[in-house]
Coordinates of all heavy atoms in Angstrom, one line a residue:
R15 N 116.0 131.7 121.7 CA 116.3 133.1 121.1 C 117.7 133.2 120.7 O 118.6 132.7 121.3 CB 116.0 134.1 122.2 CG 116.1 135.5 121.7 CD 115.6 136.5 122.8 NE 115.5 137.9 122.4 CZ 115.0 138.8 123.2 NH1 114.5 138.5 124.4 NH2 114.9 140.1 122.7
T16 N 117.9 133.8 119.5 CA 119.3 133.9 119.0 C 119.4 135.2 118.2 O 118.4 135.8 117.8 CB 119.7 132.7 118.1 OG1 121.1 132.7 117.8 CG2 118.9 132.7 116.8
V17 N 120.7 135.6 117.9 CA 121.0 136.8 117.2 C 121.7 136.4 115.9 O 122.7 135.6 116.0 CB 121.8 137.8 118.0 CG1 122.1 139.0 117.1 CG2 121.0 138.3 119.2
K18 N 121.3 136.8 114.7 CA 122.0 136.5 113.5 C 122.0 137.8 112.6 O 121.0 138.4 112.4 CB 121.2 135.4 112.8 CG 122.0 134.9 111.5 CD 121.2 133.7 110.9 CE 122.0 133.3 109.6 NZ 121.3 132.1 109.0
D19 N 123.2 138.1 112.2 CA 123.4 139.3 111.4 C 122.9 140.6 112.1 O 122.3 141.5 111.4 CB 122.8 139.1 110.0 CG 123.4 138.0 109.2 OD1 124.6 137.7 109.4 OD2 122.7 137.4 108.4
G20 N 123.0 140.6 113.4 CA 122.5 141.7 114.1 C 121.0 141.8 114.4 O 120.5 142.8 115.0
N21 N 120.3 140.8 114.0 CA 118.8 140.7 114.2 C 118.4 139.7 115.2 O 119.0 138.6 115.2 CB 118.1 140.5 112.8 CG 118.4 141.6 111.9 OD1 118.3 142.8 112.2 ND2 118.7 141.2 110.6
D22 N 117.4 140.0 116.0 CA 116.9 139.0 116.9 C 116.0 138.0 116.2 O 115.1 138.4 115.4 CB 116.1 139.7 118.0 CG 116.9 139.8 119.3 OD1 118.0 139.3 119.3 OD2 116.3 140.3 120.3
Y23 N 116.1 136.7 116.6 CA 115.2 135.7 116.0 C 114.7 134.8 117.1 O 115.4 134.5 118.1 CB 116.0 134.8 115.0 CG 116.2 135.5 113.6 CD1 117.4 136.2 113.4 CD2 115.3 135.5 112.6 CE1 117.7 136.8 112.2 CE2 115.5 136.1 111.4 CZ 116.7 136.8 111.2 OH 116.9 137.4 110.0
L24 N 113.4 134.4 116.9 CA 112.8 133.3 117.7 C 113.1 132.1 116.9 O 112.6 131.9 115.7 CB 111.3 133.6 117.9 CG 110.5 132.4 118.4 CD1 110.9 132.1 119.8 CD2 109.0 132.7 118.3
V25 N 113.8 131.1 117.5 CA 114.1 129.9 116.7 C 113.3 128.7 117.3 O 113.4 128.4 118.5 CB 115.6 129.5 116.9 CG1 115.9 128.2 116.1 CG2 116.4 130.7 116.3
V26 N 112.4 128.1 116.5 CA 111.6 127.0 116.9 C 112.2 125.8 116.1 O 112.3 125.7 114.9 CB 110.1 127.2 116.5 CG1 109.3 126.0 116.8 CG2 109.6 128.4 117.2
T27 N 112.5 124.7 116.9 CA 113.1 123.5 116.3 C 112.2 122.4 116.6 O 111.6 122.2 117.7 CB 114.5 123.2 116.8 OG1 114.4 123.1 118.3 CG2 115.5 124.3 116.5
V28 N 111.9 121.5 115.6 CA 111.1 120.3 115.8 C 112.0 119.1 115.3 O 112.4 119.1 114.2 CB 109.8 120.4 114.9 CG1 109.0 119.1 115.1 CG2 109.0 121.6 115.3
E29 N 112.2 118.3 116.3 CA 113.1 117.1 116.0 C 112.3 115.8 116.2 O 111.5 115.8 117.1 CB 114.3 117.1 116.9 CG 115.4 116.0 116.6 CD 116.6 116.2 117.5 OE1 116.6 117.0 118.4 OE2 117.6 115.4 117.2
D30 N 112.6 114.8 115.4 CA 111.9 113.5 115.6 C 112.9 112.4 115.3 O 113.9 112.5 114.7 CB 110.7 113.4 114.7 CG 111.0 113.5 113.2 OD1 111.6 112.5 112.7 OD2 110.7 114.4 112.5
S31 N 112.4 111.2 115.7 CA 113.2 110.0 115.4 C 112.5 109.1 114.4 O 112.4 107.9 114.5 CB 113.4 109.1 116.7 OG 112.1 108.8 117.3
G32 N 111.9 109.8 113.4 CA 111.0 109.2 112.4 C 111.8 108.6 111.3 O 113.0 108.3 111.4
I33 N 111.1 108.5 110.2 CA 111.7 107.7 109.0 C 112.8 108.5 108.3 O 113.6 107.9 107.6 CB 110.6 107.3 108.0 CG1 109.9 108.6 107.5 CG2 109.6 106.4 108.7 CD1 108.8 108.3 106.5
G34 N 112.8 109.8 108.5 CA 113.8 110.6 107.8 C 113.6 110.8 106.3 O 112.5 110.3 105.8
I35 N 114.5 111.5 105.7 CA 114.3 111.8 104.2 C 115.6 111.3 103.5 O 116.7 111.6 104.0 CB 114.1 113.3 104.0 CG1 112.8 113.8 104.8 CG2 113.9 113.6 102.5 CD1 112.7 115.3 104.9
K36 N 115.4 110.7 102.4 CA 116.6 110.3 101.6 C 117.3 111.5 101.0 O 116.6 112.5 100.6 CB 116.1 109.4 100.4 CG 115.6 108.0 100.9 CD 115.1 107.2 99.7 CE 114.5 105.9 100.1 NZ 114.0 105.1 98.9
S37 N 118.6 111.5 100.9 CA 119.3 112.6 100.4 C 118.9 113.0 99.0 O 118.9 114.2 98.7 CB 120.8 112.3 100.5 OG 121.1 111.2 99.7
E38 N 118.5 112.1 98.2 CA 118.1 112.4 96.8 C 116.8 113.1 96.8 O 116.4 113.7 95.7 CB 118.1 111.2 95.9 CG 117.2 110.1 96.4 CD 117.9 109.0 97.2 OE1 118.8 109.4 97.9 OE2 117.5 107.8 97.1
D39 N 116.1 113.1 97.9 CA 114.8 113.8 97.9 C 114.8 115.2 98.6 O 113.8 115.8 98.7 CB 113.7 112.9 98.7 CG 113.3 111.7 97.9 OD1 113.3 111.8 96.6 OD2 113.0 110.7 98.5
Y40 N 116.0 115.6 99.0 CA 116.1 116.9 99.7 C 115.5 118.0 98.9 O 114.8 118.9 99.4 CB 117.6 117.2 100.0 CG 118.1 116.5 101.2 CD1 117.4 115.5 101.9 CD2 119.4 116.7 101.7 CE1 117.9 114.8 103.0 CE2 120.0 116.0 102.8 CZ 119.2 115.1 103.4 OH 119.7 114.4 104.5
G41 N 115.8 118.0 97.6 CA 115.4 119.1 96.8 C 113.9 119.2 96.5 O 113.3 120.2 96.0
K42 N 113.2 118.1 96.9 CA 111.7 118.1 96.7 C 110.9 118.3 97.9 O 109.7 118.4 97.9 CB 111.3 116.7 96.1 CG 112.1 116.2 94.9 CD 111.8 114.8 94.6 CE 112.7 114.2 93.5 NZ 112.4 112.8 93.2
V43 N 111.6 118.5 99.1 CA 110.9 118.6 100.3 C 109.8 119.7 100.3 O 108.7 119.5 100.9 CB 111.9 118.9 101.5 CG1 111.1 119.3 102.8 CG2 112.7 117.6 101.7
F44 N 110.1 120.8 99.7 CA 109.1 122.0 99.8 C 108.3 122.1 98.5 O 107.6 123.1 98.3 CB 109.9 123.3 100.1 CG 110.7 123.3 101.4 CD1 112.0 123.3 101.4 CD2 110.0 123.2 102.6 CE1 112.7 123.3 102.6 CE2 110.7 123.1 103.8 CZ 112.1 123.2 103.8
N45 N 108.3 121.1 97.7 CA 107.4 121.1 96.5 C 106.0 120.9 96.9 O 105.7 120.2 98.0 CB 107.8 120.0 95.5 CG 109.2 120.3 94.9 OD1 109.7 121.4 95.0 ND2 109.7 119.4 94.1
S46 N 105.1 121.3 96.1 CA 103.6 121.2 96.4 C 103.1 119.8 95.9 O 103.6 119.2 94.9 CB 102.8 122.2 95.6 OG 103.3 123.5 96.0
F47 N 102.2 119.3 96.6 CA 101.5 118.0 96.3 C 102.5 116.9 96.1 O 102.4 116.1 95.2 CB 100.7 118.2 95.0 CG 99.6 119.2 95.1 CD1 99.8 120.4 94.4 CD2 98.5 119.0 95.8 CE1 98.8 121.4 94.5 CE2 97.5 120.0 95.9 CZ 97.7 121.2 95.2
Q48 N 103.4 116.8 97.0 CA 104.4 115.7 96.9 C 104.7 115.1 98.2 O 104.9 115.7 99.2 CB 105.7 116.3 96.3 CG 106.7 115.2 95.9 CD 107.6 115.6 94.7 OE1 107.6 116.7 94.3 NE2 108.2 114.6 94.1
Q49 N 104.7 113.7 98.2 CA 105.2 112.9 99.4 C 106.2 112.0 98.9 O 106.3 111.6 97.7 CB 104.0 112.2 100.0 CG 103.0 113.0 100.8 CD 102.0 112.2 101.4 OE1 101.4 111.2 100.8 NE2 101.6 112.5 102.7
F50 N 107.1 111.5 99.8 CA 108.2 110.7 99.5 C 108.0 109.3 100.1 O 107.3 109.1 101.0 CB 109.5 111.3 100.0 CG 109.7 112.7 99.6 CD1 109.8 113.7 100.6 CD2 109.7 113.1 98.3 CE1 109.9 115.0 100.3 CE2 109.8 114.5 98.0 CZ 109.9 115.4 99.0
D51 N 108.8 108.4 99.5 CA 108.9 107.0 100.1 C 107.5 106.4 100.2 O 107.0 106.2 101.3 CB 109.6 107.0 101.4 CG 110.3 105.7 101.7 OD1 109.9 104.7 101.1 OD2 111.3 105.7 102.5
A52 N 106.9 106.1 99.1 CA 105.5 105.6 99.1 C 105.3 104.3 99.9 O 104.3 104.1 100.5 CB 105.0 105.4 97.6
V53 N 106.4 103.5 99.9 CA 106.3 102.2 100.6 C 106.2 102.5 102.1 O 105.3 102.0 102.8 CB 107.5 101.3 100.3 CG1 107.4 100.0 101.1 CG2 107.5 101.0 98.8
K54 N 107.1 103.2 102.7 CA 107.2 103.5 104.1 C 106.0 104.4 104.6 O 105.5 104.3 105.7 CB 108.5 104.1 104.5 CG 109.6 103.1 104.7 CD 110.7 103.7 105.5 CE 111.8 102.6 105.8 NZ 112.9 103.1 106.7
N55 N 105.6 105.3 103.7 CA 104.5 106.2 104.1 C 103.1 105.7 103.7 O 102.2 106.5 103.8 CB 104.8 107.6 103.4 CG 106.1 108.2 103.9 OD1 106.5 107.9 105.0 ND2 106.7 109.1 103.1
R56 N 103.0 104.5 103.3 CA 101.7 104.0 102.9 C 100.8 104.1 104.1 O 101.1 103.7 105.2 CB 101.8 102.5 102.5 CG 100.8 102.2 101.5 CD 101.1 100.9 100.8 NE 100.4 99.8 101.5 CZ 100.7 98.5 101.3 NH1 101.6 98.1 100.4 NH2 100.0 97.6 101.9
G57 N 99.6 104.6 103.9 CA 98.6 104.7 105.0 C 98.6 106.1 105.7 O 97.8 106.4 106.5
I58 N 99.6 106.9 105.3 CA 99.7 108.3 105.9 C 99.1 109.2 104.9 O 99.6 109.4 103.8 CB 101.1 108.7 106.2 CG1 101.7 107.7 107.3 CG2 101.2 110.1 106.7 CD1 103.2 108.0 107.6
Q59 N 97.9 109.9 105.3 CA 97.2 110.7 104.4 C 97.8 112.2 104.4 O 98.4 112.6 105.4 CB 95.7 110.8 104.7 CG 95.0 109.6 104.3 CD 95.1 108.4 105.3 OE1 95.3 108.7 106.4 NE2 95.0 107.2 104.8
G60 N 97.6 112.9 103.3 CA 98.0 114.3 103.2 C 98.2 114.7 101.8 O 98.4 113.8 100.9
T61 N 98.1 116.0 101.5 CA 98.3 116.4 100.1 C 99.7 116.8 99.7 O 100.0 117.0 98.6 CB 97.4 117.7 99.9 OG1 97.9 118.7 100.8 CG2 95.9 117.4 100.1
G62 N 100.6 116.9 100.7 CA 101.9 117.3 100.5 C 102.0 118.9 100.3 O 103.0 119.4 99.8

């Protein structure tokens, strides 16, 4: 639980030791139908 700009927030954090994201792909993270690093992510299904 934290307070920001006078408002109460529930903060949920999810951390992993996974493959990570390349800095050049940061801007695409929330795009639709997109996955990154096709070589490392081969075999992982999903629509993005």
Side-chain angles (χ1 to χ4, degrees):
R15 186 174 185 171
T16 192
V17 177
K18 183 176 181 179
D19 300 329
N21 297 314
D22 255 3
Y23 285 93
L24 166 69
V25 179
V26 175
T27 58
V28 178
E29 185 178 7
D30 64 67
S31 58
I33 59 177
I35 303 169
K36 294 178 180 178
S37 56
E38 57 265 33
D39 288 330
Y40 282 4
K42 307 173 187 175
V43 167
F44 300 115
N45 290 353
S46 304
F47 301 106
Q48 189 146 16
Q49 284 184 319
F50 312 118
D51 207 337
V53 175
K54 280 198 173 185
N55 293 335
R56 209 167 95 189
I58 299 178
Q59 284 81 29
T61 58

